[in-house]
Amino acid sequence: MTLVESAIPNATLFRHGKVREVYEAGADRLVMVASDRLSAFDVVLPTPIPDKGRVLTQLSNFWFGRTSTIVPNHLLETDLADFPPPFSDHRELAGRAVLVKRAERIDYECVARGYLAGSGWAEYRKTGTVAGEPLPAGLLESARLDEPIFTPATKAASGHDENISRAQLAAALGGDLATQLEDVTLALYRHAHAYALERGLILADTKFEFGLLDGALVLIDEALTPDSSRYWDADTYRPGGAPPSYDKQFVRDFLNLQGWDHEPPGPALPAEVVRGTTERYRECYTKLTGTAL
């Protein structure tokens, strides 16, 4: 096990996540370290994906820079040399760690969907709704929606996240904050969808996490990565099925073929699936940023 997959000596762990560790770095700062762990169906798999942590971190940093005029974010520093000790002493953290402002996390995921896919498609087939909101009848899988929709979800520390309605979010957080979360989420999605489309990718859906810093809304965690988003190739996209994607759907498809029940522990991944997943993550990064990782 490498250092980034275990504890950092002389650092205080703030939170252990499915794919990240967060450490204290003073009273108002945190260091987030993205591992190469992969979570599928909300279960952390035993097989790491090489370069995944670097892709997630550096692609998030790219998007934080592009979207800061839409909503502020928590990012403070990306150059490890400017991190406080002990983090600055561990060169293996370079490219996969960020220094951020410590915000009060809002414990709901804010999902924007521009296309009918994933859990949204599964719900629509059963009830004609997504997150409890009715959609027009007769839509095909992966169809583009007339307008992107906001479908919040609970954020589970372990186990499965669950879609909730906009009314449920408003009841939990208050109408003003819920409306602000919806407006910002959809603004971020529209911006990212237009940008990605120019580079040959369709951003089908994505999820964001937000926090409050001195009462103001800030974007936190990660942004528009292959872990939190569903990207398709624009040239081959056709509604009526599930297009190949640049996210971990490649892994999900493999796992489903194994007959796994989506409960822990997850199965190990063979070398060809690991290699294919790494290639997809890296290709997504290159297409979006125009540079190789």
Side-chain angles (χ1 to χ4, degrees), residues 47 70 80 114 152 159 177 197 251:
T47 313
I70 298 174
L80 191 66
L177 180 55
L197 199 58
V251 174

Side-chain angles (χ1 to χ4, degrees), residues 97-108:
V98 288
L99 181 67
V100 302
K101 304 169 190 174
R102 186 188 300 215
E104 178 188 351
R105 189 176 72 173
I106 298 171
D107 287 331
Y108 291 88

Side-chain angles (χ1 to χ4, degrees), residues 105-108 110 167-179 181:
R105 189 176 72 173
I106 298 171
D107 287 331
Y108 291 88
C110 294
Q168 287 174 300
L169 183 71
L173 298 178
D176 290 345
L177 180 55
T179 297
L181 288 170

Side-chain angles (χ1 to χ4, degrees), residues 11-16 21-24:
T12 301
L13 186 66
F14 178 75
R15 180 182 294 116
H16 173 77
E21 270 67 61
V22 183
Y23 295 90
E24 295 183 0

Side-chain angles (χ1 to χ4, degrees), residues 17-137:
K18 293 172 184 174
V19 299
R20 286 179 181 79
E21 270 67 61
V22 183
Y23 295 90
E24 295 183 0
D28 59 352
R29 299 187 298 173
L30 300 169
V31 169
M32 297 178 59
V33 182
S35 75
D36 288 337
R37 298 190 300 272
L38 186 141
S39 169
F41 304 108
D42 297 309
V43 175
V44 177
L45 304 181
T47 313
I49 305 297
D51 285 338
K52 176 176 173 287
R54 293 199 303 140
V55 169
L56 264 58
T57 299
Q58 294 183 49
L59 191 53
S60 289
N61 295 346
F62 170 81
W63 283 114
F64 283 142
R66 284 199 59 86
T67 60
S68 60
T69 57
I70 298 174
V71 61
N73 59 69
H74 67 170
L75 193 62
L76 281 173
E77 185 57 65
T78 62
D79 186 346
L80 191 66
D82 293 327
F83 283 31
F87 309 102
S88 55
D89 300 327
H90 293 287
R91 298 307 304 170
E92 65 276 15
L93 299 179
R96 64 171 69 239
V98 288
L99 181 67
V100 302
K101 304 169 190 174
R102 186 188 300 215
E104 178 188 351
R105 189 176 72 173
I106 298 171
D107 287 331
Y108 291 88
E109 291 188 335
C110 294
V111 183
R113 301 175 186 271
Y115 299 75
L116 193 54
S119 63
W121 168 246
E123 179 185 334
Y124 176 80
R125 283 193 300 169
K126 292 179 181 177
T127 64
T129 64
V130 176
E133 304 285 345
L135 290 180

